[in-house]
Amino acid sequence: MSGMAAAVNIAFDAPDNLVGPTSSRERPIDLVHLAAQTKGDKAVEIEILQMFARQARGCLTAISAGRNKVEVKAAANRLRNAAMAVGALRVAGAADLIETKGANADALASVAAAVLEAEHFILKLAR
């Protein structure tokens, strides 16, 4: 195994904040789903995840600013779609609640926590 391959394998092991074996769908990012989308290209996965993290942060800012319900719903929809594309299922679920039920304090806290968790996971993968 080359040094690069070893580094990629280490980078894509589960972050050390996870305890015990977990399925890919239980992680902040479903890596099996992402690998299927990228045909297993780890460099592309990292690039896509970093783009998702930036987009998620922008959507979260737009949702929090919430000038009106239409803008909030549109930002939540963008976040949900982006999250589904990369397999960030908790982010997608939290964004879906905002899109369908509105941006109350609990929904905002839930989406913010899910985005932060996904960002943290992505940062650990990219190290």
Side-chain angles (χ1 to χ4, degrees):
M1 180 181 287
S2 73
M4 180 61 149
V8 168
N9 285 339
I10 290 169
F12 282 88
D13 283 345
D16 43 332
N17 64 340
L18 295 174
V19 178
T22 61
S23 77
S24 184
R25 291 180 142 275
E26 293 173 359
R27 294 180 182 149
I29 304 291
D30 181 345
L31 296 177
V32 173
H33 171 81
L34 183 62
Q37 299 298 322
T38 62
K39 296 183 178 26
D41 186 326
K42 302 299 184 191
V44 171
E45 289 176 12
I46 290 294
E47 187 175 340
I48 287 172
L49 287 173
Q50 289 171 337
M51 286 188 305
F52 166 72
R54 285 189 299 274
Q55 183 178 11
R57 182 57 55 181
C59 289
L60 189 57
T61 299
I63 290 167
S64 297
R67 291 186 259 281
N68 62 56
K69 290 181 182 183
V70 172
E71 288 180 15
V72 169
K73 186 174 180 175
N77 179 267
R78 283 191 309 275
L79 179 57
R80 181 181 55 80
N81 291 341
M84 290 300 294
V86 300
L89 302 179
R90 286 186 209 134
V91 173
D96 186 60
L97 283 177
I98 288 178
E99 187 178 4
T100 58
K101 307 234 186 229
N104 62 43
D106 288 341
L108 287 171
S110 179
V111 77
V115 167
L116 183 61
E117 180 184 41
E119 287 175 335
H120 181 70
F121 189 82
I122 291 165
L123 286 171
K124 286 197 160 250
L125 286 176
R127 65 180 167 160

